[in-house]
Amino acid sequence: MKLAHLNHLIAVAELGGLRRAARHLGIAQPAITRSIQELEHELGVTLFERSASGMTLTPIGKAFVRRSTAVQQELERARDEVQQLKGISAGTVSIGLSTAPHVSMLPMVLEPFRRRYPEVRLRITEGLFPAMEADIRSGAIDFYVGPLAEETLAGDYIAEKLFDNRRVILAKRGHLLRHATSLAELGDARWVATSVTMDSEAELWPLFQRHGLPKPITAVQAQSALSMITVAAASDILAMLPQQWLAFVRSSRLLVQIKVKEELAAPAICVVFRSRLPLTPVAQHLCDLFRRSALNQPLLTR
């Protein structure tokens, strides 16, 4: 089994056909066909189902591609690390960020990182940990910065708390409940919600439950802060977001903050990376910049 075999396999799996993979890799189609046949012969299994519309992975093929992708990514990291240890600024750093570090930390980190490593490509994925876990485990993402669910992570990861956080309630300008001062006064409101777990109701319900209040009504489930802001600005639906969005809200004049007396605690912002392999020197430097940025975060505000 050769590295070229794995590269050809992954290309066919991602692009769905031999011709598309050959065009993407810039090699002759028979060479890729031969690679796939040699792999299937060596493993003694069928990796792809062939049809007139293309090629799809068999269940065994999916498992093998998942492992092969991890191998490919580790080799890329190894090559980057060697170049970086030689003093050559090269390679790619891939990070996952939730909305809070996007707004409050990335602007502080980006300029010093680009100044130190102008030739390194930075790849940023927005989202929450559950959606990125597979890519972090495989090495496609070097590290994640954002909130975590309350449960302890598996031993595959190291999670380091950067700072505690708090949420704020946002409503469109002129909202009938804009002068509310407690969660109890928002009992009949409808909410747009997301969550650090796969259950969107897990974001709001514990806050209301903690204060002996009925379960809030989730009218819209969103996957991003932009969706939440858009929904809140265009309707009577309320949003609860990390406090880092306050500066944007105030400058845009689309929304207002509803200031309630209750503590609206949010999951702490953490950095998460794999425990079994170290970060490359460049990824480690970027991670350190996020750590320093966390020290400059403003005090929690009500």
Side-chain angles (χ1 to χ4, degrees):
M1 189 179 303
K2 300 176 181 178
L3 180 58
H5 288 153
L6 302 185
N7 292 337
H8 297 167
L9 169 74
I10 293 167
V12 174
E14 290 179 346
L15 298 171
L18 294 167
R19 183 178 302 173
R20 288 187 289 271
R23 189 182 304 117
H24 174 73
L25 295 173
I27 60 177
Q29 182 176 329
I32 296 185
T33 301
R34 188 164 53 252
S35 281
I36 301 300
Q37 290 173 344
E38 289 173 356
L39 267 177
E40 291 182 325
H41 177 74
E42 180 177 345
L43 296 170
V45 298
T46 299
L47 297 173
F48 289 96
E49 296 287 349
R50 280 80 167 172
S51 68
S53 60
M55 299 174 66
T56 56
L57 290 164
T58 63
I60 292 177
K62 290 179 181 177
F64 188 70
V65 165
R66 187 163 56 245
R67 296 287 185 182
S68 299
T69 301
V71 169
Q72 185 187 59
Q73 289 163 348
E74 288 303 332
L75 287 171
E76 290 176 359
R77 291 294 187 277
R79 183 171 55 248
D80 289 349
E81 185 166 11
V82 168
Q83 294 300 309
Q84 292 161 18
L85 290 172
K86 288 165 58 179
I88 300 173
S89 176
T92 299
V93 177
S94 181
I95 62 174
L97 300 178
S98 73
T99 60
H102 250 109
V103 172
S104 63
M105 303 176 78
L106 185 59
M108 302 171 65
V109 163
L110 195 54
E111 184 178 352
F113 178 75
R114 299 305 305 161
R115 188 167 57 245
R116 175 81 176 269
Y117 295 108
E119 303 302 321
V120 172
R121 182 170 62 173
L122 177 60
R123 185 184 298 127
I124 302 172
T125 302
E126 180 184 351
L128 294 167
F129 183 79
M132 300 189 199
E133 183 176 1
D135 284 340
I136 297 170
R137 182 185 295 114
S138 71
I141 293 177
D142 289 292
F143 63 87
Y144 162 81
V145 182
L148 293 171
E150 293 183 2
E151 59 265 21
T152 303
L153 290 179
D156 295 339
Y157 309 103
I158 294 174
E160 173 188 332
K161 186 171 82 170
L162 298 180
F163 60 88
D164 291 311
N165 208 12
R166 192 169 281 151
R167 287 171 279 209
V168 293
I169 298 172
L170 304 174
K172 74 174 184 180
R173 288 188 170 275
H175 197 290
L176 294 177
L177 296 173
R178 64 188 183 278
H179 299 304
T181 59
S182 69
L183 287 178
E185 295 177 54
L186 303 176
D188 294 329
R190 283 167 167 73
W191 298 80
V192 54
T194 186
S195 179
V196 297
T197 69
M198 291 303 183
D199 179 10
S200 64
E201 293 186 347
E203 184 76 0
L204 293 173
W205 174 220
L207 286 174
F208 282 74
Q209 191 177 38
R210 194 173 302 131
H211 297 285
L213 298 172
K215 189 174 185 179
I217 302 169
T218 301
V220 178
Q221 180 177 346
Q223 297 299 319
S224 71
L226 178 59
S227 295
M228 295 179 72
I229 287 173
T230 302
V231 168
S235 69
D236 288 328
I237 296 173
L238 302 182
M240 191 180 296
L241 283 165
Q243 65 170 354
Q244 286 77 18
W245 281 96
L246 270 180
F248 169 82
V249 167
R250 289 165 180 161
S251 64
S252 69
R253 302 183 64 81
L254 292 173
L255 300 163
V256 295
Q257 180 186 1
I258 298 178
K259 298 182 179 180
V260 297
K261 64 184 180 181
E262 290 87 358
E263 181 91 3
L264 303 179
I269 300 299
C270 302
V271 59
V272 181
F273 45 88
R274 292 179 299 171
S275 58
R276 61 185 178 87
L277 284 172
L279 297 173
T280 64
V282 171
Q284 185 63 62
H285 177 73
L286 182 58
C287 187
D288 289 341
L289 288 175
F290 274 98
R291 289 188 178 102
R292 291 177 210 163
S293 173
L295 299 176
N296 295 319
Q297 291 302 300
L299 296 175
L300 299 181
T301 180
R302 292 296 291 271

